[in-house]
């Protein structure tokens, strides 16, 4: 008999501009910090604060990890299965 499954994590996708930013990150410490931040967001997509309220389209959110010095702007798809990263700052 198996135990209960942990909550399913959302898949992370990157906008074109975020993918370009990701390619420019070369330091191992920065990559590790970003990875940890993305795991936090994938486990709990609602953790970020809303950036601006609007009625059309998905809600843009901002998550800042002060310890890792990482800021990510993202939105979550309607079914909460995909997090689309729009901006990365490490």
């Amino acid at each position: 008999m198996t135990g209960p499954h942990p909550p399913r994590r959302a898949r992370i996708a990157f906008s074109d501009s975020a993918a370009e930013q990701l390619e420019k990150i070369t330091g191992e410490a920065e990559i590790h910090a970003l990875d940890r931040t993305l795991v936090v967001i994938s486990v709990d997509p609602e953790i970020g604060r809303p950036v601006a309220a609007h009625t059309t389209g998905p809600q843009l959110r901002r998550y800042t990890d002060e310890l890792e010095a990482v800021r990510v702007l993202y939105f979550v798809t309607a079914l909460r299965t995909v997090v689309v990263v729009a901006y990365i700052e490490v």
Side-chain angles (χ1 to χ4, degrees):
M1 182 172 173
T2 61
H5 296 284
R8 186 174 179 154
R9 291 179 15 184
R11 187 170 55 96
I12 301 289
F14 297 92
S15 69
D16 290 341
S17 60
E20 289 175 13
Q21 291 172 312
L22 186 60
E23 290 176 3
K24 294 177 184 176
I25 300 173
T26 58
E28 189 173 324
E30 290 87 6
I31 292 169
H32 180 71
L34 178 60
D35 186 53
R36 288 175 46 97
T37 300
L38 294 175
V39 167
V40 169
I41 294 170
S42 72
V43 170
D44 182 9
E46 301 296 322
I47 195 166
R49 295 179 188 248
V51 173
H54 51 77
T55 58
T56 61
Q59 173 67 56
L60 189 62
R61 304 181 77 80
R62 175 181 52 230
Y63 176 75
T64 303
D65 184 328
E66 300 292 337
L67 183 63
E68 297 287 354
V70 176
R71 184 170 62 149
V72 176
L73 296 177
Y74 66 96
F75 63 89
V76 184
T77 59
L79 297 177
R80 306 282 187 240
T81 58
V82 179
V83 170
V84 180
V85 175
Y87 174 81
I88 302 167
E89 188 175 287
V90 179

mmCIF file of all heavy atoms in Angstrom, residues 33-63:
data_model
loop_
_atom_site.group_PDB
_atom_site.id
_atom_site.type_symbol
_atom_site.label_atom_id
_atom_site.label_comp_id
_atom_site.label_asym_id
_atom_site.label_seq_id
_atom_site.Cartn_x
_atom_site.Cartn_y
_atom_site.Cartn_z
ATOM 1 N N ALA A 33 20.019 29.563 -7.365
ATOM 2 C CA ALA A 33 19.044 30.444 -6.704
ATOM 3 C C ALA A 33 17.744 30.502 -7.502
ATOM 4 O O ALA A 33 16.651 30.416 -6.936
ATOM 5 C CB ALA A 33 19.633 31.841 -6.536
ATOM 6 N N LEU A 34 17.851 30.634 -8.818
ATOM 7 C CA LEU A 34 16.658 30.668 -9.654
ATOM 8 C C LEU A 34 15.915 29.339 -9.596
ATOM 9 O O LEU A 34 14.690 29.312 -9.504
ATOM 10 C CB LEU A 34 17.023 31.010 -11.101
ATOM 11 C CG LEU A 34 15.860 31.024 -12.086
ATOM 12 C CD1 LEU A 34 14.815 32.061 -11.672
ATOM 13 C CD2 LEU A 34 16.365 31.284 -13.485
ATOM 14 N N ASP A 35 16.635 28.251 -9.630
ATOM 15 C CA ASP A 35 16.012 26.927 -9.559
ATOM 16 C C ASP A 35 15.206 26.768 -8.275
ATOM 17 O O ASP A 35 14.074 26.304 -8.300
ATOM 18 C CB ASP A 35 17.080 25.838 -9.672
ATOM 19 C CG ASP A 35 16.470 24.455 -9.741
ATOM 20 O OD1 ASP A 35 15.589 24.232 -10.593
ATOM 21 O OD2 ASP A 35 16.893 23.579 -8.941
ATOM 22 N N ARG A 36 15.782 27.167 -7.158
ATOM 23 C CA ARG A 36 15.070 27.072 -5.876
ATOM 24 C C ARG A 36 13.797 27.925 -5.901
ATOM 25 O O ARG A 36 12.746 27.506 -5.423
ATOM 26 C CB ARG A 36 15.979 27.501 -4.722
ATOM 27 C CG ARG A 36 17.073 26.495 -4.412
ATOM 28 C CD ARG A 36 18.033 27.012 -3.345
ATOM 29 N NE ARG A 36 17.386 27.612 -2.204
ATOM 30 C CZ ARG A 36 17.137 27.007 -1.055
ATOM 31 N NH1 ARG A 36 17.476 25.754 -0.903
ATOM 32 N NH2 ARG A 36 16.562 27.647 -0.068
ATOM 33 N N THR A 37 13.884 29.108 -6.467
ATOM 34 C CA THR A 37 12.724 29.998 -6.557
ATOM 35 C C THR A 37 11.634 29.394 -7.429
ATOM 36 O O THR A 37 10.452 29.433 -7.082
ATOM 37 C CB THR A 37 13.159 31.372 -7.095
ATOM 38 O OG1 THR A 37 14.121 31.927 -6.190
ATOM 39 C CG2 THR A 37 11.981 32.307 -7.238
ATOM 40 N N LEU A 38 12.020 28.816 -8.566
ATOM 41 C CA LEU A 38 11.040 28.204 -9.458
ATOM 42 C C LEU A 38 10.357 27.004 -8.826
ATOM 43 O O LEU A 38 9.172 26.760 -9.062
ATOM 44 C CB LEU A 38 11.695 27.826 -10.789
ATOM 45 C CG LEU A 38 12.181 29.005 -11.628
ATOM 46 C CD1 LEU A 38 12.909 28.511 -12.867
ATOM 47 C CD2 LEU A 38 11.048 29.936 -11.986
ATOM 48 N N VAL A 39 11.081 26.256 -8.004
ATOM 49 C CA VAL A 39 10.464 25.131 -7.291
ATOM 50 C C VAL A 39 9.401 25.648 -6.324
ATOM 51 O O VAL A 39 8.297 25.111 -6.254
ATOM 52 C CB VAL A 39 11.522 24.284 -6.554
ATOM 53 C CG1 VAL A 39 10.869 23.321 -5.571
ATOM 54 C CG2 VAL A 39 12.379 23.522 -7.552
ATOM 55 N N VAL A 40 9.709 26.710 -5.598
ATOM 56 C CA VAL A 40 8.740 27.297 -4.662
ATOM 57 C C VAL A 40 7.475 27.715 -5.408
ATOM 58 O O VAL A 40 6.354 27.416 -4.977
ATOM 59 C CB VAL A 40 9.361 28.511 -3.918
ATOM 60 C CG1 VAL A 40 8.302 29.291 -3.167
ATOM 61 C CG2 VAL A 40 10.451 28.047 -2.971
ATOM 62 N N ILE A 41 7.645 28.368 -6.541
ATOM 63 C CA ILE A 41 6.491 28.830 -7.317
ATOM 64 C C ILE A 41 5.711 27.648 -7.881
ATOM 65 O O ILE A 41 4.489 27.655 -7.897
ATOM 66 C CB ILE A 41 6.934 29.789 -8.433
ATOM 67 C CG1 ILE A 41 7.487 31.073 -7.820
ATOM 68 C CG2 ILE A 41 5.780 30.102 -9.386
ATOM 69 C CD1 ILE A 41 8.164 31.999 -8.806
ATOM 70 N N SER A 42 6.408 26.608 -8.336
ATOM 71 C CA SER A 42 5.710 25.461 -8.930
ATOM 72 C C SER A 42 4.894 24.703 -7.893
ATOM 73 O O SER A 42 3.851 24.148 -8.212
ATOM 74 C CB SER A 42 6.694 24.518 -9.619
ATOM 75 O OG SER A 42 7.482 23.812 -8.687
ATOM 76 N N VAL A 43 5.351 24.687 -6.651
ATOM 77 C CA VAL A 43 4.616 24.009 -5.581
ATOM 78 C C VAL A 43 3.401 24.822 -5.165
ATOM 79 O O VAL A 43 2.338 24.274 -4.888
ATOM 80 C CB VAL A 43 5.549 23.737 -4.372
ATOM 81 C CG1 VAL A 43 4.766 23.253 -3.169
ATOM 82 C CG2 VAL A 43 6.625 22.729 -4.749
ATOM 83 N N ASP A 44 3.543 26.145 -5.120
ATOM 84 C CA ASP A 44 2.451 27.023 -4.708
ATOM 85 C C ASP A 44 2.367 28.231 -5.641
ATOM 86 O O ASP A 44 2.922 29.289 -5.337
ATOM 87 C CB ASP A 44 2.659 27.482 -3.269
ATOM 88 C CG ASP A 44 1.540 28.359 -2.749
ATOM 89 O OD1 ASP A 44 0.493 28.484 -3.437
ATOM 90 O OD2 ASP A 44 1.694 28.929 -1.657
ATOM 91 N N PRO A 45 1.719 28.095 -6.800
ATOM 92 C CA PRO A 45 1.665 29.190 -7.760
ATOM 93 C C PRO A 45 1.030 30.474 -7.230
ATOM 94 O O PRO A 45 1.255 31.541 -7.781
ATOM 95 C CB PRO A 45 0.832 28.616 -8.917
ATOM 96 C CG PRO A 45 0.977 27.142 -8.793
ATOM 97 C CD PRO A 45 1.089 26.885 -7.316
ATOM 98 N N GLU A 46 0.259 30.390 -6.175
ATOM 99 C CA GLU A 46 -0.400 31.579 -5.616
ATOM 100 C C GLU A 46 0.496 32.340 -4.639
ATOM 101 O O GLU A 46 0.067 33.342 -4.066
ATOM 102 C CB GLU A 46 -1.688 31.166 -4.908
ATOM 103 C CG GLU A 46 -2.684 30.470 -5.821
ATOM 104 C CD GLU A 46 -3.189 31.358 -6.937
ATOM 105 O OE1 GLU A 46 -3.412 32.557 -6.708
ATOM 106 O OE2 GLU A 46 -3.344 30.846 -8.051
ATOM 107 N N ILE A 47 1.733 31.919 -4.453
ATOM 108 C CA ILE A 47 2.616 32.523 -3.458
ATOM 109 C C ILE A 47 2.988 33.965 -3.807
ATOM 110 O O ILE A 47 3.185 34.786 -2.931
ATOM 111 C CB ILE A 47 3.876 31.665 -3.241
ATOM 112 C CG1 ILE A 47 4.583 32.081 -1.973
ATOM 113 C CG2 ILE A 47 4.812 31.738 -4.448
ATOM 114 C CD1 ILE A 47 5.620 31.098 -1.492
ATOM 115 N N GLY A 48 3.055 34.284 -5.082
ATOM 116 C CA GLY A 48 3.418 35.639 -5.489
ATOM 117 C C GLY A 48 2.292 36.626 -5.256
ATOM 118 O O GLY A 48 1.125 36.265 -5.153
ATOM 119 N N ARG A 49 2.650 37.882 -5.196
ATOM 120 C CA ARG A 49 1.657 38.952 -5.011
ATOM 121 C C ARG A 49 1.192 39.453 -6.369
ATOM 122 O O ARG A 49 1.997 39.604 -7.291
ATOM 123 C CB ARG A 49 2.288 40.109 -4.244
ATOM 124 C CG ARG A 49 2.669 39.731 -2.838
ATOM 125 C CD ARG A 49 3.303 40.927 -2.158
ATOM 126 N NE ARG A 49 3.837 40.532 -0.878
ATOM 127 C CZ ARG A 49 3.353 40.943 0.270
ATOM 128 N NH1 ARG A 49 2.340 41.767 0.304
ATOM 129 N NH2 ARG A 49 3.881 40.542 1.402
ATOM 130 N N PRO A 50 -0.096 39.758 -6.496
ATOM 131 C CA PRO A 50 -0.587 40.315 -7.767
ATOM 132 C C PRO A 50 0.109 41.629 -8.086
ATOM 133 O O PRO A 50 0.334 42.455 -7.212
ATOM 134 C CB PRO A 50 -2.068 40.536 -7.512
ATOM 135 C CG PRO A 50 -2.403 39.621 -6.370
ATOM 136 C CD PRO A 50 -1.164 39.542 -5.532
ATOM 137 N N VAL A 51 0.469 41.819 -9.350
ATOM 138 C CA VAL A 51 1.153 43.038 -9.775
ATOM 139 C C VAL A 51 0.155 44.152 -10.029
ATOM 140 O O VAL A 51 0.286 45.236 -9.505
ATOM 141 C CB VAL A 51 2.010 42.783 -11.036
ATOM 142 C CG1 VAL A 51 2.578 44.074 -11.577
ATOM 143 C CG2 VAL A 51 3.127 41.803 -10.701
ATOM 144 N N ALA A 52 -0.837 43.887 -10.842
ATOM 145 C CA ALA A 52 -1.855 44.893 -11.143
ATOM 146 C C ALA A 52 -3.153 44.169 -11.450
ATOM 147 O O ALA A 52 -3.152 43.141 -12.114
ATOM 148 C CB ALA A 52 -1.432 45.741 -12.326
ATOM 149 N N ALA A 53 -4.225 44.706 -10.959
ATOM 150 C CA ALA A 53 -5.521 44.072 -11.195
ATOM 151 C C ALA A 53 -6.047 44.493 -12.560
ATOM 152 O O ALA A 53 -6.036 45.662 -12.910
ATOM 153 C CB ALA A 53 -6.507 44.480 -10.104
ATOM 154 N N HIS A 54 -6.468 43.508 -13.321
ATOM 155 C CA HIS A 54 -7.129 43.776 -14.585
ATOM 156 C C HIS A 54 -8.140 42.669 -14.825
ATOM 157 O O HIS A 54 -8.065 41.593 -14.249
ATOM 158 C CB HIS A 54 -6.137 43.880 -15.753
ATOM 159 C CG HIS A 54 -5.191 42.734 -15.832
ATOM 160 N ND1 HIS A 54 -5.532 41.498 -16.316
ATOM 161 C CD2 HIS A 54 -3.896 42.631 -15.483
ATOM 162 C CE1 HIS A 54 -4.499 40.692 -16.274
ATOM 163 N NE2 HIS A 54 -3.498 41.352 -15.765
ATOM 164 N N THR A 55 -9.088 42.931 -15.684
ATOM 165 C CA THR A 55 -10.194 41.988 -15.835
ATOM 166 C C THR A 55 -10.006 40.997 -16.968
ATOM 167 O O THR A 55 -10.692 39.998 -17.019
ATOM 168 C CB THR A 55 -11.513 42.758 -16.072
ATOM 169 O OG1 THR A 55 -11.352 43.574 -17.231
ATOM 170 C CG2 THR A 55 -11.863 43.610 -14.876
ATOM 171 N N THR A 56 -9.087 41.265 -17.879
ATOM 172 C CA THR A 56 -8.888 40.334 -18.984
ATOM 173 C C THR A 56 -7.540 39.643 -18.851
ATOM 174 O O THR A 56 -6.576 40.230 -18.400
ATOM 175 C CB THR A 56 -8.934 41.060 -20.339
ATOM 176 O OG1 THR A 56 -7.885 42.013 -20.377
ATOM 177 C CG2 THR A 56 -10.270 41.734 -20.555
ATOM 178 N N GLY A 57 -7.506 38.390 -19.257
ATOM 179 C CA GLY A 57 -6.253 37.642 -19.231
ATOM 180 C C GLY A 57 -5.873 37.182 -17.844
ATOM 181 O O GLY A 57 -6.513 37.519 -16.849
ATOM 182 N N PRO A 58 -4.813 36.419 -17.774
ATOM 183 C CA PRO A 58 -4.354 35.902 -16.481
ATOM 184 C C PRO A 58 -3.739 36.997 -15.608
ATOM 185 O O PRO A 58 -3.256 38.007 -16.116
ATOM 186 C CB PRO A 58 -3.322 34.853 -16.866
ATOM 187 C CG PRO A 58 -2.896 35.196 -18.243
ATOM 188 C CD PRO A 58 -4.030 35.934 -18.888
ATOM 189 N N GLN A 59 -3.771 36.782 -14.319
ATOM 190 C CA GLN A 59 -3.249 37.737 -13.338
ATOM 191 C C GLN A 59 -1.718 37.632 -13.278
ATOM 192 O O GLN A 59 -1.177 36.581 -12.984
ATOM 193 C CB GLN A 59 -3.826 37.427 -11.957
ATOM 194 C CG GLN A 59 -3.236 38.240 -10.828
ATOM 195 C CD GLN A 59 -3.592 39.707 -10.913
ATOM 196 O OE1 GLN A 59 -4.746 40.043 -10.958
ATOM 197 N NE2 GLN A 59 -2.611 40.560 -10.941
ATOM 198 N N LEU A 60 -1.026 38.728 -13.561
ATOM 199 C CA LEU A 60 0.423 38.779 -13.448
ATOM 200 C C LEU A 60 0.775 38.852 -11.965
ATOM 201 O O LEU A 60 0.175 39.617 -11.213
ATOM 202 C CB LEU A 60 0.971 39.993 -14.201
ATOM 203 C CG LEU A 60 2.487 40.071 -14.350
ATOM 204 C CD1 LEU A 60 3.010 38.880 -15.161
ATOM 205 C CD2 LEU A 60 2.871 41.368 -15.034
ATOM 206 N N ARG A 61 1.753 38.025 -11.555
ATOM 207 C CA ARG A 61 2.145 37.954 -10.153
ATOM 208 C C ARG A 61 3.652 38.185 -10.039
ATOM 209 O O ARG A 61 4.400 37.924 -10.973
ATOM 210 C CB ARG A 61 1.775 36.606 -9.550
ATOM 211 C CG ARG A 61 0.289 36.282 -9.684
ATOM 212 C CD ARG A 61 -0.065 34.951 -9.064
ATOM 213 N NE ARG A 61 -0.142 35.044 -7.608
ATOM 214 C CZ ARG A 61 -1.189 35.528 -6.943
ATOM 215 N NH1 ARG A 61 -2.234 35.973 -7.589
ATOM 216 N NH2 ARG A 61 -1.191 35.567 -5.631
ATOM 217 N N ARG A 62 4.076 38.663 -8.859
ATOM 218 C CA ARG A 62 5.496 38.886 -8.588
ATOM 219 C C ARG A 62 5.884 38.102 -7.341
ATOM 220 O O ARG A 62 5.226 38.193 -6.298
ATOM 221 C CB ARG A 62 5.778 40.377 -8.367
ATOM 222 C CG ARG A 62 7.221 40.626 -7.953
ATOM 223 C CD ARG A 62 7.528 42.088 -7.708
ATOM 224 N NE ARG A 62 6.573 42.697 -6.781
ATOM 225 C CZ ARG A 62 5.928 43.829 -7.014
ATOM 226 N NH1 ARG A 62 6.102 44.491 -8.121
ATOM 227 N NH2 ARG A 62 5.083 44.307 -6.126
ATOM 228 N N TYR A 63 6.970 37.342 -7.457
ATOM 229 C CA TYR A 63 7.505 36.643 -6.292
ATOM 230 C C TYR A 63 8.953 37.073 -6.128
ATOM 231 O O TYR A 63 9.742 37.019 -7.074
ATOM 232 C CB TYR A 63 7.433 35.125 -6.463
ATOM 233 C CG TYR A 63 8.069 34.392 -5.305
ATOM 234 C CD1 TYR A 63 7.424 34.317 -4.086
ATOM 235 C CD2 TYR A 63 9.309 33.810 -5.433
ATOM 236 C CE1 TYR A 63 8.005 33.665 -3.008
ATOM 237 C CE2 TYR A 63 9.900 33.153 -4.361
ATOM 238 C CZ TYR A 63 9.244 33.085 -3.156
ATOM 239 O OH TYR A 63 9.836 32.440 -2.089
#
